[in-house]
């Protein structure tokens, strides 16, 4: 939304008024919101505990998954409750300071999460494309530096985005509102940095991962055919691995784009559509964007047997046993 249009607005865009929905619907909305928040928090907590506790999961790739889970956990703790209460009550009841905090984290945490996804794609492509270089040069300490840089970049970038658009100094709001302003130039910059660039990286690198994996599988099939023509089980296993890789990569890209595209469409139609319609659309787009934090632990962690085993150990409280951090959770090759 253009800052000048916001400050020149004489009438409040939203008013804290009597609820227009029945008590049953109101309660149902809160129950649904609590369920989504709890599932988001619990799912990401399980991933965080798994990576931190089990020594076998202390790998560079899992450091990125840990960073993703932390950002998604904060979305579930900070953004989801505030947003769901705000929209259920049709009124911002938390004051101006918390509004600024909410707006900052609403930019910062999704930005960290999106760039983590892009870094995971780069990590997996590097590991498959040049495994010898990856095993020698990519260490836990290096990945921790990369993760720290990602978080610091997001903090600096999003603070600059909000500050230079006057959100901390010039923006005036009516009681019950929590707005943010963003110029067309900054909208374009944000689109490139937080959407176009990471999306291009994800699509290109995951496509490369798929073709490299398929090439490796074809090479394994060739070796099997050279050694013995009767080893159908290995060939079937290779075909199953290829199918699984295609499905997982397809789900990764599809869900990621579905969650992000609605929000960035809304950022460009603020000056075109009716103001109330814009806020309704932005409301739903933000809900879809936040739901990505609920889906991420399922896609990036729970699809893999090592995380399934570690989560089972956590839920059965076996992590409290002596030397439980050294339990074999990887098992056979995934």
């Amino acid at each position: 939304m253009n800052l000048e249009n916001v400050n020149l607005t004489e009438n409040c865009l939203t008013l804290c008024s009597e609820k227009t929905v029945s008590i049953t619907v109101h309660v149902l909305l809160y129950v649904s919101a609590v369920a989504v928040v709890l599932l988001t928090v619990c799912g990401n907590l399980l991933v965080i505990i798994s990576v931190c506790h089990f020594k076998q999961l202390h790998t560079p790739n899992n450091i990125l998954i840990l960073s993703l889970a932390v950002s998604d956990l904060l979305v579930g703790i900070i953004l989801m409750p505030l947003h769901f209460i705000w929209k259920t009550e049709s009124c911002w009841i938390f004051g101006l300071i918390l509004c600024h905090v909410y707006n900052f984290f609403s930019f910062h945490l999704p930005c960290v999460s999106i760039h983590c996804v892009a870094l995971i794609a780069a990590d997996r492509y590097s590991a498959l494309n040049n495994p010898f270089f990856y095993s020698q040069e990519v260490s836990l300490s290096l990945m921790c530096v990369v993760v720290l840089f990602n978080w610091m970049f997001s903090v600096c970038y999003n603070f600059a985005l909000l500050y230079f658009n006057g959100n901390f100094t010039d923006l005036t709001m009516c009681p019950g509102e929590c707005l943010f302003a963003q110029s067309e130039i900054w909208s374009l910059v944000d689109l490139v940095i937080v959407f176009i660039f990471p999306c291009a990286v994800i699509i290109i690198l995951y496509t490369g991962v798929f073709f490299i994996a398929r090439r490796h599988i074809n090479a394994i099939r060739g070796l099997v055919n050279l050694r013995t023509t009767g080893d159908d089980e290995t060939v079937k296993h290779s075909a199953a691995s290829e199918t699984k890789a295609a499905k997982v990569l397809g789900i990764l890209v599809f869900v990621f784009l579905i969650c992000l595209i609605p929000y960035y469409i809304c950022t460009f139609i603020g000056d075109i559509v009716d103001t109330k319609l814009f806020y309704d659309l932005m409301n739903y787009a933000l809900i879809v964007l936040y739901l990505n934090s609920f889906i991420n632990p399922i896609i990036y962690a729970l699809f893999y047997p090592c995380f399934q085993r570690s989560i089972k150990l956590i839920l059965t409280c076996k992590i409290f046993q002596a030397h439980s951090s050294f339990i074999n959770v990887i098992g056979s090759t995934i």
Side-chain angles (χ1 to χ4, degrees):
M1 176 174 288
N2 187 280
L3 178 60
E4 295 180 358
N5 293 339
V6 174
N7 286 336
L8 291 177
T9 301
E10 296 180 356
N11 299 321
C12 291
L13 300 176
T14 59
L15 293 173
C16 298
S17 58
E18 294 295 329
K19 299 176 179 59
T20 57
V21 298
S22 65
I23 296 179
T24 303
V25 174
H26 199 69
V27 172
L28 184 60
L29 288 173
Y30 269 112
V31 170
S32 301
V34 169
V36 172
V37 170
L38 288 178
L39 289 173
T40 302
V41 171
C42 292
N44 287 288
L45 267 179
L46 287 173
V47 175
I48 293 170
I49 295 172
S50 296
V51 176
C52 293
H53 183 75
F54 295 103
K55 300 294 185 182
Q56 286 186 327
L57 299 183
H58 292 182
T59 64
N61 179 259
N62 286 338
I63 295 299
L64 293 174
I65 293 180
L66 175 64
S67 175
L68 178 66
V70 170
S71 65
D72 290 336
L73 175 67
L74 293 177
V75 169
I77 293 175
I78 300 173
L79 296 182
M80 283 186 175
L82 293 176
H83 185 78
F84 289 151
I85 293 173
W86 178 20
K87 296 309 174 183
T88 302
E89 299 295 334
S90 299
C91 177
W92 181 262
I93 60 176
F94 302 105
L96 182 61
I97 294 177
L98 202 54
C99 174
H100 290 319
V101 173
Y102 169 81
N103 283 335
F104 173 75
F105 280 104
S106 68
F107 281 90
H108 169 53
L109 293 178
C111 178
V112 171
S113 181
I114 291 165
H115 285 123
C116 275
V117 176
L119 288 171
I120 290 171
D123 177 83
R124 292 182 179 179
Y125 178 82
S126 177
L128 273 176
N129 189 51
N130 198 339
F132 296 105
F133 172 82
Y134 181 86
S135 60
Q136 293 177 0
E137 301 296 332
V138 180
S139 62
L140 286 176
S141 58
L142 175 62
M143 199 58 72
C144 289
V145 172
V146 171
V147 167
L148 179 62
F149 175 81
N150 180 36
W151 281 80
M152 293 304 300
F153 167 79
S154 180
V155 168
C156 296
Y157 164 72
N158 288 293
F159 181 84
L161 184 150
L162 292 172
Y163 179 80
F164 289 111
N165 281 279
N167 287 275
F168 299 139
T169 55
D170 303 327
L171 187 61
T172 58
M173 287 179 280
C174 297
E177 291 180 343
C178 182
L179 308 177
F180 69 89
Q182 191 174 0
S183 67
E184 292 181 0
I185 295 177
W186 275 98
S187 294
L188 182 61
V189 170
D190 193 58
L191 179 71
V192 173
I193 293 179
V194 186
F195 181 70
I196 294 179
F197 176 72
C199 280
V201 169
I202 290 167
I203 293 173
I204 292 172
L205 293 184
Y206 270 131
T207 302
V209 167
F210 173 75
F211 284 112
I212 292 172
R214 191 169 66 175
R215 188 168 66 245
H216 289 173
I217 290 171
N218 289 335
I220 293 173
R221 285 176 174 173
L223 289 174
V224 170
N225 291 333
L226 286 174
R227 292 180 178 179
T228 172
T229 57
D231 197 351
D232 293 334
E233 184 178 347
T234 304
V235 176
K236 290 180 180 179
H237 178 73
S238 299
S241 299
E242 181 179 345
T243 302
K244 180 181 177 180
K247 288 181 179 179
V248 172
L249 293 179
I251 293 172
L252 290 175
V253 176
F254 177 77
V255 171
F256 182 76
L257 293 177
I258 287 298
C259 291
L260 262 67
I261 287 176
Y263 172 78
Y264 282 97
I265 291 177
C266 288
T267 58
F268 276 90
I269 63 175
D271 296 326
I272 301 175
V273 301
D274 176 73
T275 302
K276 188 177 185 308
L277 177 60
F278 167 74
Y279 278 101
D280 289 339
L281 292 174
M282 182 61 77
N283 173 37
Y284 293 119
L286 280 173
I287 291 175
V288 173
L289 180 63
Y290 295 158
L291 285 178
N292 189 47
S293 297
F294 162 71
I295 300 172
N296 275 339
I298 299 174
I299 295 178
Y300 286 93
L302 302 184
F303 274 6
Y304 296 93
C306 59
F307 280 98
Q308 294 171 5
R309 297 186 187 101
S310 64
I311 289 171
K312 183 178 179 180
L313 292 170
I314 293 171
L315 295 178
T316 55
C317 298
K318 292 184 179 179
I319 61 170
F320 297 109
Q321 297 177 357
H323 308 295
S324 61
S325 60
F326 295 96
I327 294 176
N328 179 19
V329 293
I330 295 179
S332 58
T333 303
I334 300 174

